[in-house]
Amino acid sequence: MRSILLSIVVVFAGASCKDATGKQGSASTTGSAGSAVKVVAADAPKGPQAMETTYDKMQADKLDRQAEADAKKAGNEEWIPAEHKAGASRWKDVGVYVDGKPMGFLTFGELPIALKPVWVQDKVSAEKRPGTEDPGWRWAKQRFYRFDQYLAAIGIDVKSIKELHVYGPKFAETNISTGKDLLSAKAKEFKFRFGGNVYGKPIAHVPRGFGNGRSADKIASVMVYIKKKPPKIVHNVGLELDGEIQNGVPYYGEPIRGGVRVYMDDKLIAIVKRQELDAAKAIKSPTGELTWKLADVLAAQGAMPKNVTEIWAVRDQKREDKFPGADLATLTFAANSQAKGGLLLGDKQIRANTIAMHSRALKPDELPVVTPDDE
């Protein structure tokens, strides 16, 4: 009898959570403008969330990287990390937007040349040999990057910033800092790193008490507000601007995904997407393959860089090959499946997932160097 009564209670409780159509009901709450908004409740974490910099974390990112490589090998141009497979894939690429304008993306291969790492000594896991007294850990150097220095490197005057919003996978995890915060002593500890040191998703390190004190495991996007009004966090709702919940990039719309980003002196000037290329403007190669002139594609987007000295092909997060700036006028590219989501530049079909152009010749010591601790 006791088990029967328990069953009745469970069935009744489950039925009360569904509507007349049998679908699960959704929670609703009211924003500051007084309008009802359907949301899924998500309480924000309290206080700063410490960022672990361990070998285990790097291994997880290495598995993500291998999954991405396997997906591209199978012909899937766009790979989606595990944490984004539940509807948040629109934030797969971590864009940096200033008043709604895309200014860059947080990947190791797209960091500004002027931005240098801050090295932090870190205890990481290490192999413990059988029959020894090995401690099972070792000291390593972990590379971090300061947010204020990153912003300066892409041409933003930190003193002009009203607010900086660093999104997590959930809007409630957004760290909001003011211009005053970014000029404080604590700003030196407000940093980010990459899960695999030189690859993987960016991860924020928020010092205790910095900004609103919130943080997330991974960064989803970065919003900078200089002239525009910043949105505000509404508890259990998300980010609200003038009474409207912001599910995308404020003042822009849907976050940018995919494509080959093109930079001039560390500033984003264009994004080339294969599906948006005009076949009517393509040139057929001797093998019948369609190719396009890079300069023409850039000009169609209003990007006409001048005084180009070097053109770097960035792939696998590294500057691997370069072309003379004078080649820009005639440089062609293909965008077939062999490009693995990138472009194949020139007659030698050099693969590039990002293109970085510079108005001066970079010195060897300016290029990022991968250390043994990074790998």
Side-chain angles (χ1 to χ4, degrees):
M1 177 64 72
R2 179 180 177 86
S3 61
I4 294 174
L5 287 173
L6 285 173
S7 299
I8 293 173
V9 170
V10 170
V11 171
F12 178 77
S16 66
C17 295
K18 298 181 180 180
D19 60 19
T21 64
K23 295 181 180 179
Q24 197 74 19
S26 58
S28 66
T29 187
T30 303
S32 61
S35 58
V37 182
K38 290 185 177 181
V39 297
V40 178
D43 291 331
K46 296 180 180 179
Q49 306 299 301
M51 296 294 107
E52 294 184 0
T53 57
T54 63
Y55 175 79
D56 295 333
K57 190 74 175 178
M58 289 174 61
Q59 287 296 95
D61 276 277
K62 190 172 289 186
L63 291 174
D64 268 357
R65 194 184 191 193
Q66 184 59 50
E68 178 178 11
D70 292 343
K72 288 182 176 179
K73 189 181 295 183
N76 299 324
E77 184 175 344
E78 283 203 273
W79 166 80
I80 299 175
E83 71 269 19
H84 290 319
K85 288 182 179 177
S89 59
R90 50 212 290 267
W91 298 100
K92 181 176 77 74
D93 292 351
V94 184
V96 179
Y97 301 83
V98 179
D99 286 336
K101 179 182 178 181
M103 294 290 286
F105 288 80
L106 285 188
T107 71
F108 180 74
E110 295 176 74
L111 291 178
I113 284 295
L115 182 66
K116 302 305 178 186
V118 176
W119 296 102
V120 177
Q121 186 171 256
D122 180 44
K123 184 186 288 187
V124 300
S125 301
E127 183 180 357
K128 187 173 183 178
R129 296 169 297 176
T132 70
E133 295 183 359
D134 291 346
W137 60 269
R138 65 179 179 85
W139 288 112
K141 287 199 306 181
Q142 170 74 57
R143 61 171 73 228
F144 281 80
Y145 297 92
R146 285 171 49 176
F147 274 103
D148 58 348
Q149 292 181 345
Y150 171 81
L151 295 171
I154 62 173
I156 297 174
D157 182 0
V158 177
K159 294 179 181 178
S160 68
I161 295 175
K162 290 180 181 177
E163 287 186 359
L164 174 69
H165 294 191
V166 178
Y167 286 13
K170 298 178 182 178
F171 290 127
E173 299 169 332
T174 299
N175 178 273
I176 297 179
S177 56
T178 64
K180 184 178 179 180
D181 293 327
L182 293 169
L183 294 172
S184 69
K186 285 186 177 181
K188 295 180 180 179
E189 297 303 318
F190 185 38
K191 303 187 287 275
F192 66 90
R193 66 178 182 88
F194 297 100
N197 285 337
V198 292
Y199 62 86
K201 293 284 284 187
I203 300 171
H205 172 73
V206 181
R208 185 174 297 276
F210 184 81
N212 64 354
R214 301 187 184 192
S215 183
D217 183 48
K218 293 182 180 180
I219 300 173
S221 195
V222 177
M223 309 294 171
V224 184
Y225 298 97
I226 297 175
K227 296 181 179 180
K228 301 285 189 179
K229 177 183 176 181
K232 303 295 181 184
I233 289 183
V234 177
H235 183 62
N236 282 347
V237 176
L239 291 162
E240 182 189 68
L241 179 63
D242 294 333
E244 294 186 4
I245 301 304
Q246 302 296 303
N247 292 316
V249 178
Y251 305 107
Y252 184 82
E254 282 296 303
I256 296 173
R257 273 185 55 178
V260 173
R261 271 91 70 166
V262 182
Y263 292 82
M264 178 64 192
D265 286 335
D266 295 327
K267 294 179 176 60
L268 181 69
I269 61 171
I271 300 176
V272 181
K273 293 192 174 185
R274 184 171 67 177
Q275 65 270 28
E276 295 176 1
L277 292 171
D278 188 351
K281 296 181 179 179
I283 305 167
K284 274 195 176 182
S285 69
T287 61
E289 185 176 43
L290 295 182
T291 62
W292 289 262
K293 278 191 175 182
L294 179 60
D296 291 345
V297 173
L298 296 180
Q301 296 189 33
M304 293 175 283
K306 298 179 180 179
N307 303 320
V308 179
T309 299
E310 292 182 341
I311 304 170
W312 284 88
V314 183
R315 64 177 176 276
D316 300 327
Q317 305 299 331
K318 299 175 184 176
R319 281 172 164 80
E320 294 283 5
D321 298 277
K322 66 178 177 180
F323 299 82
D327 287 1
L328 179 59
T330 57
L331 186 62
T332 60
F333 68 87
N336 55 36
S337 59
Q338 300 300 316
K340 299 180 180 179
L343 304 178
L344 299 176
L345 301 176
D347 295 335
K348 294 183 179 180
Q349 297 207 321
I350 302 297
R351 181 168 61 88
N353 297 105
T354 301
I355 297 173
M357 299 186 287
H358 294 274
S359 58
R360 62 180 180 83
L362 299 182
K363 299 176 182 177
D365 60 1
E366 292 182 279
L367 299 175
V369 177
V370 177
T371 70
D373 285 339
D374 287 326
E375 298 176 331

